[in-house]
């Protein structure tokens, strides 16, 4: 495993144990800076080794969550050792020949790998879980989504900073962020990934391009606005989907309730719909507030929440590996 000390790496370790993933030997690999430290797993202390080409010898699977530059650096060594890399970074997602996989959505794509399978962006994973069962019933024409992304998307340090700066505000102080460009404490701001030439940020374009690839809809009209909000680890999304024909709300609700990886929380009489706390440290995403778009007869709107670290990253990667070993 590459990147065991980060938020996603820690979640991977927990899930490997919780899901009884078959492991004969677990190697924790990192830079020289982290080498020699220890991580707890299944009641034992594992020592982190410095990553090297030799460290991949005899390895079947590499779960990589150490960032794109690290994944690019060690890709060839991993493939040369005969291992499969399931990569959580954005390094290879849009590369031709590299499958981009959400097991509940496009499982067959995983079997066309050439040594690397890419784990999609967290917001994309959560979104496609809800889009797939609907698109299988009525073809989609257009998707418009606004995301409400938690601190966990920026890593463990951002989560800790949100806790600390929230207390600063409660104590009457002025919060000053060292991890994010602005304080998230009692605040929100547009996603801070670099703006592209079309004035959409990198995070927004990840959603556009990755959704098109996963759903095999290269011409899907898609627009996204990504926002960072003061929530610790679950993302939320407001979604508007236009179809080729009207889509009955009751049918959409039934399809989503039966969809793998999806939990329906849709109680209009109680005004009770998904919240980040419903999905934190849980596997399924929650979908609700399913309604007819009053401005477009062929469109539906809904709201979803999903744990960014879990299904949005670590769980999806492990499910990809489980899919391959079970075939």
């Amino acid at each position: 495993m590459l990147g065991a000390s980060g938020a996603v790496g820690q979640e991977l370790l927990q899930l490997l144990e919780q899901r009884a993933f078959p492991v004969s030997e677990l190697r924790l690999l990192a830079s020289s800076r982290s080498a020699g430290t220890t991580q707890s797993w299944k009641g034992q202390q594992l020592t982190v080794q410095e990553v090297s080409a030799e460290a991949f010898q005899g390895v079947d699977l590499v779960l990589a969550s150490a960032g794109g530059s690290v994944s690019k650096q060690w890709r060839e060594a991993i493939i040369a050792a005969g291992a499969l890399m399931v990569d959580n970074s954005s390094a290879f997602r849009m590369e031709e020949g590299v499958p981009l996989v959400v097991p509940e959505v496009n499982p067959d794509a995983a079997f066309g790998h050439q040594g690397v399978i890419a784990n999609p962006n967290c917001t994309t994973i959560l979104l496609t879980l809800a889009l797939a069962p609907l698109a299988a019933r009525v073809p989609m024409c257009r998707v418009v989504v606004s995301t409400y992304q938690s601190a966990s998307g920026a890593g463990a340090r951002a989560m800790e900073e949100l806790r600390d700066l929230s207390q600063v505000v409660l104590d009457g102080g002025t919060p000053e962020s060292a991890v994010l460009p602005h304080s998230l404490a009692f605040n929100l701001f547009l996603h801070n990934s670099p703006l592209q030439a079309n004035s959409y940020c990198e995070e927004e374009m990840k959603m556009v391009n990755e959704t098109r690839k996963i759903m095999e809809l290269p011409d899907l009209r898609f627009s996204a606005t990504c926002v960072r909000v003061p929530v610790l680890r679950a993302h939320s999304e407001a979604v508007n989907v236009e179809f080729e024909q009207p889509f009955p709300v009751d049918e959409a609700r039934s399809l989503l309730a039966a969809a793998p990886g999806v939990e329906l929380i849709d109680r209009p009489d109680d005004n009770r719909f998904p919240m980040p706390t419903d999905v934190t440290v849980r596997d399924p995403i929650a979908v609700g507030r399913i309604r007819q778009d009053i401005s477009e007869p062929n469109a539906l709107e809904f709201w979803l929440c999903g744990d960014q670290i879990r299904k949005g990253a670590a769980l999806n990667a492990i499910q990809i590996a489980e899919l391959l070993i079970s075939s």
Side-chain angles (χ1 to χ4, degrees):
M1 182 188 299
L2 275 171
S5 61
V8 174
Q10 290 294 296
E11 196 78 7
L12 283 167
L13 287 172
Q14 292 178 31
L15 286 169
L16 287 172
E17 181 172 352
Q18 291 170 7
R19 296 173 72 87
F21 189 88
V23 178
S24 59
E25 179 190 359
L26 180 61
R27 298 181 192 174
L28 305 184
L29 307 177
S31 67
S32 57
R33 185 174 60 253
S34 299
T37 61
T38 59
Q39 295 283 340
S40 177
W41 187 67
K42 296 183 71 171
Q44 56 184 312
Q45 293 296 313
L46 301 180
T47 301
V48 177
Q49 307 173 40
E50 182 175 355
V51 61
S52 65
E54 292 73 22
F56 299 115
Q57 295 301 315
V59 169
D60 297 311
L61 171 69
V62 176
L63 298 173
S65 59
S69 61
V70 174
S71 293
K72 289 177 181 178
Q73 179 181 357
W74 295 105
R75 173 188 189 171
E76 294 307 320
I78 292 170
I79 294 174
L84 166 66
M85 176 164 65
V86 178
D87 184 53
N88 199 59
S89 78
S90 62
F92 313 118
R93 289 174 185 159
M94 298 311 300
E95 183 176 312
E96 188 174 350
V98 174
L100 185 65
V101 178
V102 179
E104 298 91 337
V105 178
N106 62 335
D108 291 345
F111 297 93
H113 74 82
Q114 300 173 26
V116 178
I117 298 176
N119 213 30
N121 192 46
C122 48
T123 50
T124 306
I125 292 172
L126 308 180
L127 176 64
T128 56
L129 283 171
L131 291 182
L134 302 179
R137 170 65 179 82
V138 180
M140 296 186 303
C141 299
R142 184 171 186 250
V143 176
V144 180
V145 59
S146 295
T147 70
Y148 304 77
Q149 296 181 221
S150 59
S152 61
R157 291 178 59 232
M159 296 171 68
E160 188 61 33
E161 182 176 81
L162 175 57
R163 294 187 184 95
D164 294 342
L165 294 186
S166 295
Q167 189 61 54
V168 169
V169 173
L170 290 171
D171 291 341
T174 300
E176 296 183 5
S177 177
V179 178
L180 294 167
H182 313 284
S183 170
L184 260 187
F186 301 94
N187 190 30
L188 57 81
F189 52 86
L190 289 166
H191 200 281
N192 53 294
S193 58
L195 284 178
Q196 310 298 290
N198 62 1
S199 295
Y200 282 71
C201 73
E202 183 180 75
E203 183 80 358
E204 292 158 352
M205 292 311 300
K206 286 179 183 178
M207 292 196 75
V208 173
N209 295 324
E210 292 177 21
T211 301
R212 287 172 173 168
K213 181 173 179 177
I214 293 165
M215 304 289 293
E216 297 185 358
L217 296 170
D219 299 320
L220 177 66
R221 291 182 290 151
F222 194 118
S223 182
T225 300
C226 294
V227 183
R228 188 78 74 190
V229 298
V231 173
L232 278 177
R233 60 173 281 167
H235 288 356
S236 303
E237 303 180 21
V239 186
N240 181 290
V241 189
E242 182 182 346
F243 300 90
E244 290 185 358
Q245 62 191 52
F247 203 134
V249 170
D250 287 345
E251 185 175 359
R253 187 177 288 115
S254 296
L255 288 168
L256 288 167
V262 176
E263 177 179 272
L264 189 69
I265 302 178
D266 197 53
R267 304 203 302 269
D269 292 344
D270 300 331
N271 202 21
R272 179 66 168 90
F273 306 108
M275 300 181 292
T277 50
D278 292 319
V279 294
T280 298
V281 200
R282 295 188 62 227
D283 293 351
I285 69 163
V287 179
R289 195 83 195 282
I290 306 161
R291 61 199 188 277
Q292 172 67 50
D293 178 349
I294 59 174
S295 71
E296 169 52 61
N298 289 355
L300 295 177
E301 299 201 74
F302 58 86
W303 171 259
L304 67 83
C305 300
D307 190 311
Q308 179 272 329
I309 301 176
R310 204 171 184 93
K311 180 53 182 174
L315 175 61
N316 199 75
I318 290 177
Q319 286 176 311
I320 291 171
E322 290 174 340
L323 178 68
L324 294 172
I325 64 175
S326 65
S327 62

